[in-house]
Amino acid sequence: MQTVHLKGKGTSVKLFILILHWFFYQFFTFIFICRDSGLLTETSKMKLSQKLLLIFLRVKFRLLSALSKKAAARAAFDLFCTPQQRNTKPLSGIFKQAESLVFELNGVTIRGFRWNHPADRKVLLLHGFSSSIGNFGHFVTPLLQKGYEVLAFDAPAHGRSDGRQITAPLYRDMILAIHEKYGPVHSFIAHSFGGLALSLALEKMEQADSMKAVLIAPASETVTALSQLYALLAILSEPVKAEVENVIEQTGGYPLSWYAISRVLPAVRTRILWIHDDQDNITPLQDAMKVKEKNYPHLQFVITHGLGHRRIYRDSKVVSTIMDFL
């Protein structure tokens, strides 16, 4: 018995050492890849805690990719759908004057606000990924001055709404539910991921001739967003990327290419104002320019300079341009 126990112990130690060697091999291979591709220098603006978290995630996906392509793909998709921050700070100013609204969507509690109810025309504000409707309060007063009833909700897994994850179809369904419960909505102002969700909603919505939509730095191509995630996490394995696309299609019922504003626009009659900045590093201008080149008659483009992805919706000139359009 004692001899068998010692042999078992020796085997366990050898297995542990083998796993340890394999781990360090993967880790240092990963470090060399990061160094050679410049991925280590791109985090220079991050806080130390953010850098450490990113290193941990990159090592995690390096190891997962070696162990199981499907497990790595599922983990990447879950991260892609999970906001990394949530703004739940108490809202002040214009939000103190709002009526609070709550409804259920697929078992998730959605919370939002309404001003100037009832009014003949209604406008819906839509935020981006990892954002909150609290960032868009500066639109409310000028919209009220134009006579609009204003609706604003936090998307699932954002702000004051419940949930842990969000997908484009879920965000789309929230927009359709608001349109049905509190609408009809005549105009929309959407930023980033909210722009993609809105385009998917317009595709399913009966569009009136008077309907208008403003897309501010919209996430026009999900392919681009996914490529950015791969770069951030140093996911270099093509088989893993292919598995991620499989997960997306299995989850939502459509291939990755389906989640694109460029696919939807030919079927949309709504008048659209598209505002994009030439220094946007989240939703690149080059994706927007591919749409602009199509010269859709119902689509108007405004290109700004130096505002990036987030300052663009806070800029006073941009707000004035939107109010003139609406």
Side-chain angles (χ1 to χ4, degrees), residues 48-289:
L48 177 59
S49 59
Q50 293 174 319
K51 289 182 180 180
L52 292 174
L53 176 60
L54 183 57
I55 290 174
F56 167 76
L57 288 173
R58 287 175 171 177
V59 172
K60 171 186 173 180
F61 279 101
R62 173 76 182 176
L63 298 176
L64 271 179
S65 298
L67 290 169
S68 169
K69 302 292 188 293
K70 289 185 178 180
R74 171 52 67 178
F77 178 72
D78 285 345
L79 188 63
F80 189 60
C81 299
T82 306
Q84 299 305 303
Q85 59 184 12
R86 183 189 287 250
N87 181 8
T88 57
K89 295 179 180 178
L91 296 175
S92 58
I94 195 69
F95 289 95
K96 293 291 186 182
Q97 305 170 26
E99 172 190 359
S100 295
L101 299 176
V102 180
F103 70 95
E104 296 294 315
L105 175 69
N106 300 336
V108 177
T109 301
I110 305 299
R111 296 180 175 87
F113 305 90
R114 178 166 63 185
W115 294 263
N116 195 32
H117 174 73
D120 293 335
R121 296 185 302 160
K122 302 182 182 185
V123 60
L124 175 61
L125 302 176
L126 299 162
H127 63 77
F129 189 79
S130 284
S131 184
S132 162
I133 207 60
N135 294 330
F136 293 80
H138 59 286
F139 282 102
V140 176
T141 297
L143 287 168
L144 294 178
Q145 290 171 348
K146 292 184 71 70
Y148 276 101
E149 175 181 320
V150 182
L151 295 161
F153 290 81
D154 282 320
H158 290 76
R160 287 143 197 83
S161 292
D162 292 348
R164 193 183 70 85
Q165 292 187 330
I166 188 169
T167 61
L170 181 58
Y171 203 167
R172 172 203 63 193
D173 291 347
M174 186 195 85
I175 296 169
L176 293 172
I178 293 167
H179 184 64
E180 181 179 349
K181 290 176 181 292
Y182 305 108
V185 178
H186 304 86
S187 299
F188 304 85
I189 300 175
H191 177 245
S192 195
F193 183 48
L196 173 62
L198 174 59
S199 70
L200 298 179
L202 289 174
E203 187 178 28
K204 283 183 164 287
M205 200 180 289
E206 184 176 345
Q207 299 170 52
D209 292 336
S210 59
M211 191 175 285
K212 297 179 181 180
V214 179
L215 305 179
I216 309 172
S220 53
E221 299 290 336
T222 305
V223 172
T224 299
L226 205 54
S227 296
Q228 291 172 338
L229 179 71
Y230 293 149
L232 183 68
L233 299 177
I235 296 177
L236 308 175
S237 168
E238 292 303 325
V240 171
K241 294 177 183 179
E243 284 293 341
V244 172
E245 293 195 28
N246 289 337
V247 172
I248 289 173
E249 186 164 0
Q250 291 166 8
T251 302
Y254 298 98
L256 179 61
S257 59
W258 186 85
Y259 299 93
I261 294 179
S262 58
R263 180 194 63 78
V264 175
L265 279 179
V268 172
R269 294 188 297 110
T270 302
R271 286 182 57 198
I272 297 173
L273 172 63
W274 186 315
I275 307 176
H276 223 107
D277 193 76
D278 61 358
Q279 295 183 21
D280 191 323
N281 62 354
I282 304 297
T283 58
L285 179 63
Q286 63 187 26
D287 285 348
M289 294 306 292

